[in-house]
Amino acid sequence: MSKTMRAVEIEGGVGPISALHITDVPKPVPKDSQALVKVKAFGLNRMDLLQREGHYPVPPQASKILGVEFSGVIEAFGCDAEEEYKVGDEVFGLAYGGAYAEYIVVSTHMLVHKPKELTWEQCAGIPETWITATQALYLIGLFTPGKSVLWHAGASSVSIAGIQLSIADSASAVYATARQDSKCEFCVSTLGATAAFNTTTQDWVAEVLEATGGKGVDIIIDFIGAGTFQGNLDAIAKDGIIVHLGAMGGTKLPAGVDIGGFVRKRIRYEGSSLRSRDEAYQGKLRDQLVEHALPRFVDGRFKVLVDRVMPWEEIQEAHRALEANETKGKVICTIG
């Protein structure tokens, strides 16, 4: 058996899209509770763009190879794998890194059996986005039926998952924002959001307050950061929770930001990430995904929306598509 494999690397360790290339690297060896998986497909995430540029804090246990979600076939195990898996099993899963490659080693505690009803490409687009949405909505946002939710960047993969979760679990209303009319329409007509607002042409805060009779929304999931900070404080309801997951709009607040709402509305504003969490934390979220969402993928109630599938040899074009904010759903690369 070969001791090398092909993988996407970044020339110089960090760099622009043009630095991405496929080359031979050492093939990983599973140990302890790990499985060696031959990768069929992997999903792209915005963290990959940041990591490529050297702007993402990579966990110490992560491979230097990009990619955290994948689907494939188990080829070998370490010495302490979960008994429910065997060689030849078709799986998908979440890793700390290493998915842009022919093989990946990952804890069996972060694997899920691939349903026959879903394709390799669909399964590769589930783990990071749906687990992140689950964490944000339930663990941090403390969602319960009857609450209202606003998902920023509504056509992003995490919000696509989150909007579906919110609706399925009986939110009183589900709102979204986006920067294009077509994406706002997508959130309403395809995903079923109550309403979606264009942040470049509309006063989204005023629209939210009008839609909620001045109350505001109970939970806001935010990926923008500085650009929506004041608006979030204005649009959140009393005793509301704002979940901060990213800073696509910057991290430096402008002068004049009014934080009075924190006390006046008793707001909780909490930041979080998934990749920096330990395996036990991620494993509990995997279990919740399997119990709560997987049956709905199988029967079609939940949609895994894949915007485009590309051969991994076109990894540069795949990164360009994600960087240009052209997509409504996942960008997936296939191997072989």
Side-chain angles (χ1 to χ4, degrees), residues 92 112-115 117-118 123 126 130 286-302:
F92 63 95
V112 179
H113 287 289
K114 174 188 171 296
E117 293 85 357
L118 300 179
C123 286
I126 291 174
W130 283 81
R286 179 208 65 168
D287 294 344
Q288 188 169 349
L289 174 76
V290 170
E291 295 167 7
H292 186 65
L294 196 60
R296 298 177 183 182
F297 291 128
V298 170
D299 67 19
R301 284 177 291 169
F302 282 166

Side-chain angles (χ1 to χ4, degrees), residues 15-332:
I17 290 174
S18 59
L20 295 171
H21 65 285
I22 297 175
T23 188
D24 290 333
V25 301
K27 185 177 178 180
V29 177
K31 58 183 181 180
D32 301 329
S33 65
Q34 292 178 331
L36 175 70
V37 178
K38 183 174 176 58
V39 177
K40 292 283 192 178
F42 59 84
L44 274 64
N45 292 282
R46 193 159 295 275
M47 75 173 78
D48 302 346
L49 309 183
L50 296 173
Q51 183 178 337
R52 191 198 72 231
E53 296 171 344
H55 302 316
Y56 191 93
V58 180
Q61 70 271 42
S63 166
K64 67 176 182 178
I65 297 170
L66 297 171
V68 298
E69 56 184 354
F70 62 91
S71 59
V73 180
I74 295 176
E75 286 209 352
F77 292 103
C79 60
D80 191 28
E82 284 186 290
E83 293 182 358
E84 67 176 282
Y85 295 101
K86 64 183 185 299
V87 171
D89 279 354
E90 298 179 347
V91 296
F92 63 95
L94 182 67
Y96 287 106
Y100 286 26
E102 290 181 313
Y103 293 89
I104 186 171
V105 292
V106 61
S107 170
T108 53
H109 305 309
M110 292 310 300
L111 292 177
V112 179
H113 287 289
K114 174 188 171 296
K116 67 180 186 302
E117 293 85 357
L118 300 179
T119 65
W120 294 113
E121 293 83 2
Q122 288 174 314
C123 286
I126 291 174
E128 168 66 20
T129 50
W130 283 81
I131 289 177
T132 296
T134 297
Q135 176 201 30
L137 186 63
Y138 303 104
L139 270 65
I140 303 171
L142 303 181
F143 174 83
T144 53
K147 289 188 176 181
S148 57
V149 189
L150 168 68
W151 292 85
H152 282 301
S156 69
S157 295
V158 174
S159 288
I160 287 171
I163 290 169
Q164 293 182 73
L165 287 167
S166 305
I167 294 170
D169 285 344
S170 303
S172 60
V174 182
Y175 303 104
T177 68
R179 292 186 291 177
Q180 300 171 23
D181 286 341
S182 62
K183 290 186 175 183
C184 290
E185 173 62 22
F186 166 80
C187 291
V188 175
S189 62
T190 300
L191 301 179
T194 308
F197 312 113
N198 188 325
T199 57
T200 61
T201 61
Q202 294 177 279
D203 182 342
W204 67 270
V205 175
E207 296 285 352
V208 167
L209 291 175
E210 180 178 355
T212 59
K215 173 181 179 290
V217 288
D218 298 309
I219 302 168
I220 295 176
I221 316 293
D222 180 61
F223 310 88
I224 312 302
T228 48
F229 185 85
Q230 183 69 69
N232 289 341
L233 296 183
D234 295 339
I236 196 73
K238 282 187 177 180
D239 297 306
I241 297 175
I242 302 166
V243 184
H244 174 66
L245 297 180
M248 294 166 59
T251 59
K252 305 293 185 182
L253 295 179
V257 168
D258 181 3
I259 63 172
F262 276 106
V263 173
R264 186 175 68 255
K265 296 184 180 181
R266 304 184 294 270
I267 295 168
R268 175 177 149 198
Y269 207 125
E270 181 171 341
S272 188
S273 67
L274 178 61
R275 195 175 182 185
S276 62
R277 302 286 191 170
D278 63 28
E279 185 180 304
Y281 181 96
Q282 291 191 0
K284 290 178 181 178
L285 284 168
R286 179 208 65 168
D287 294 344
Q288 188 169 349
L289 174 76
V290 170
E291 295 167 7
H292 186 65
L294 196 60
R296 298 177 183 182
F297 291 128
V298 170
D299 67 19
R301 284 177 291 169
F302 282 166
K303 302 173 184 177
V304 185
L305 296 178
V306 176
D307 184 272
R308 64 193 70 182
V309 177
M310 308 172 73
W312 75 319
E313 290 86 356
E314 297 178 14
I315 189 62
Q316 291 188 9
E317 290 304 314
H319 269 235
R320 287 191 184 96
L322 197 60
E323 201 165 74
N325 294 317
E326 298 173 354
T327 57
K328 302 183 190 77
K330 295 295 296 188
V331 176
I332 303 294

